[in-house]
Amino acid sequence: MMQNNFDFNHLLRRGVAEVIVEEEFIARLKNGDKLRLKEGFDPSSSDIHLGHMVGLRKLRQFQELGHEVVLIVGDWTAQIGDPTGQSVTRPVLSYEQVKSNAETYMQQFFKIVDRSRTEVRWQSEWFGEFSLADVLKLTGRFTIAQFLAREDFNKRFTAGKPITLTEFIYPLLQAYDSVQIQAGVEFGGTDQKFNLLVGRELQGMVGQQPQQVLMTPLLVGTDGAHKMSKSLGNYIGITEAPAQIFGKVMSVPDNLLMDYFTLVTDVPDAELAEFRTEIENGANPMALKKRLAREIISQLYDKSAATAAEDNFVRIVQNKETPAEIPEFRIIPGTLSIPGVMLDAGLVKSKGEAMRLIQQGGVEIDGNKITEPNYPVANGAVLKAGKRRYVMLVE
């Protein structure tokens, strides 16, 4: 697998934030080493989104050069909870929840990476029998001072905010994964830098060749403010229906368009440069957003699904037409609690969300905006919530 004449510039630049140590990494690639490429995922929710896709796409690119991907399912650390102390972003889960989420992850990983060239490992293989002696031996290799050098730990310590011992242990467990599978390269987002480097250091301590580190940028979610996260509701799931993906992509803020094109599509760099020029010259971003949506859906489904999703968007959203097929929800006609109907029909996640939509003018019955929660409904009425959610109310 000699790659001396291969141009690594695109591979190690596009969709890559930082490589440690780049010279060593390139040397190993040029030597023809078959590398074990590690990336870990804590199944803290049941779905993978475009933020995960950034790293998975990079792994697939290396697979196509003959390297081996090792996906670590964090079925053990997912039960610990959030290592940054922000429980809203990673709640403590039961073993049953972790296993259920992990099974879903398994189905979704392989929409992007090549199953035949992927080794899947579960942390419980080595942590299931981990003893207190093993924990003490592992923690004894590092100092508190080393961990306080981590930026978020340092800020919280300086501000007098609590840091639990569990949070210190979490990076060690992730590092131990690298030792167990003898990782050659570990992939992760830029927010994982400290943890990735701990893995590199631990490998050196136990006599293994330290792993290289490849960090990918964090994809900002559809809210334009925070890292894409299912818990924050600013995500685009890779198994969502094509029409839903298309609609969500169209809501991506204009200033993030080029980031999305760069990180989750294969549109050539030269064409991306043309897109940037168009945006700088004040072009309407609508056409580019449609192109972005088609590129993403074509990867996750196929081109025909992308075309159908675009046609659906144009008909329903741009031309304000009612969809040809609307799911039915059974009611007893009369004056109904619309928030209750919306919740039971699956149009919203809570009655509070339904009330907010009503107050914002985002709920219609047969084309009429409603302003009160109780509304007279006849058999066959069409209830519309937001831009793309419809249900026909029938007896």
Side-chain angles (χ1 to χ4, degrees):
M1 194 174 62
M2 295 297 289
Q3 295 167 357
N4 289 309
N5 297 321
F6 185 82
D7 179 10
F8 295 105
N9 187 60
H10 180 83
L11 184 68
L12 299 181
R13 293 288 183 276
R14 178 161 168 176
V16 177
E18 186 176 0
V19 177
I20 303 173
V21 175
E22 186 171 307
E23 295 79 7
E24 294 178 6
F25 195 176
I26 292 176
R28 295 195 67 183
L29 292 172
K30 287 185 175 180
N31 286 339
D33 295 352
K34 184 176 181 180
L35 300 174
R36 287 172 66 76
L37 315 174
K38 170 200 172 190
E39 183 155 12
F41 292 87
D42 278 350
S44 51
S45 67
S46 59
D47 293 308
I48 293 174
H49 51 63
L50 294 192
H52 299 114
M53 189 173 167
V54 177
L56 291 173
R57 278 171 45 83
K58 187 57 62 174
L59 288 172
R60 178 60 183 256
Q61 291 170 15
F62 277 91
Q63 276 186 321
E64 291 172 356
L65 293 175
H67 301 288
E68 181 180 25
V69 167
V70 184
L71 289 175
I72 306 293
V73 182
D75 60 324
W76 206 81
T77 50
Q79 297 175 70
I80 293 176
D82 176 45
T84 64
Q86 302 295 326
S87 59
V88 67
T89 59
R90 189 175 295 164
V92 176
L93 302 178
S94 68
Y95 178 76
E96 290 72 22
Q97 288 174 305
V98 169
K99 294 294 286 185
S100 176
N101 288 346
E103 290 300 328
T104 304
Y105 266 41
M106 289 299 97
Q107 299 168 19
Q108 297 179 18
F109 280 144
F110 301 114
K111 286 177 74 72
I112 303 167
V113 298
D114 184 346
R115 182 189 296 266
S116 67
R117 291 180 286 185
T118 301
E119 178 183 334
V120 178
R121 302 292 297 272
W122 299 66
Q123 283 181 322
S124 52
E125 294 176 34
W126 45 87
F127 286 134
E129 302 297 326
F130 221 56
S131 68
L132 178 58
D134 293 322
V135 173
L136 294 175
K137 183 178 179 181
L138 182 59
T139 57
R141 293 182 179 275
F142 294 86
T143 68
I144 296 296
Q146 285 174 284
F147 278 61
L148 286 178
R150 177 171 145 174
E151 184 178 1
D152 62 331
F153 284 161
N154 186 270
K155 286 182 178 178
R156 288 161 59 195
F157 181 75
T158 302
K161 295 182 179 179
I163 304 172
T164 68
L165 291 177
T166 300
E167 294 176 72
F168 279 153
I169 292 174
Y170 189 98
L172 299 179
L173 300 179
Q174 183 174 327
Y176 193 74
D177 295 342
S178 293
V179 170
Q180 284 296 303
I181 68 161
Q182 298 185 46
V185 188
E186 183 166 11
F187 289 64
T190 51
D191 57 344
Q192 289 286 308
K193 184 173 182 177
F194 180 86
N195 295 6
L196 302 177
L197 293 177
V198 172
R200 179 176 166 85
E201 190 166 351
L202 183 60
Q203 283 182 306
M205 290 177 180
V206 301
Q208 292 183 10
Q209 184 171 359
Q211 66 186 14
Q212 305 304 309
V213 170
L214 189 150
M215 285 171 279
T216 53
L218 302 180
L219 187 68
V220 176
T222 54
D223 61 353
H226 301 97
K227 168 186 171 183
M228 187 172 285
S229 165
K230 187 169 184 182
S231 60
L232 296 177
N234 63 352
Y235 71 101
I236 301 175
I238 70 168
T239 58
E240 292 188 78
Q244 189 74 3
I245 292 174
F246 199 99
K248 285 189 174 184
V249 171
M250 297 304 290
S251 69
V252 170
D254 297 350
N255 66 313
L256 294 178
L257 269 178
M258 294 313 304
D259 287 345
Y260 275 68
F261 268 115
T262 301
L263 299 178
V264 294
T265 81
D266 293 317
V267 175
D269 292 343
E271 197 169 355
L272 294 188
E274 294 175 4
F275 292 171
R276 289 189 183 91
T277 300
E278 290 179 26
I279 293 173
E280 290 169 1
N281 290 336
N284 188 326
M286 177 67 75
L288 289 180
K289 287 188 178 184
K290 289 182 177 180
R291 170 71 181 276
L292 175 62
R294 292 196 303 270
E295 292 286 340
I296 292 171
I297 296 169
S298 295
Q299 287 182 70
L300 299 175
Y301 292 92
D302 53 39
K303 289 184 178 180
S304 62
T307 300
E310 181 173 8
D311 291 343
N312 182 74
F313 178 83
V314 171
R315 184 178 67 254
I316 296 173
V317 179
Q318 290 188 290
N319 296 340
K320 301 186 183 302
E321 295 179 14
T322 302
E325 296 183 9
I326 301 177
E328 296 182 351
F329 180 75
R330 299 202 170 276
I331 61 164
I332 298 175
T335 300
L336 303 178
S337 169
I338 301 306
V341 171
M342 291 168 65
L343 178 62
D344 293 341
L347 300 178
V348 292
K349 295 181 180 179
S350 69
K351 289 185 179 180
E353 180 185 349
M355 282 301 302
R356 287 192 294 274
L357 268 178
I358 290 172
Q359 292 166 0
Q360 294 165 4
V363 179
E364 297 179 5
I365 293 181
D366 288 337
N368 300 311
K369 288 185 180 180
I370 65 171
T371 57
E372 299 295 334
N374 298 313
Y375 192 88
V377 177
N379 181 39
V382 173
L383 172 60
K384 177 185 177 184
K387 293 181 179 180
R388 297 178 296 275
R389 290 166 285 174
Y390 290 83
V391 69
M392 182 175 289
L393 307 176
V394 297
E395 293 185 36

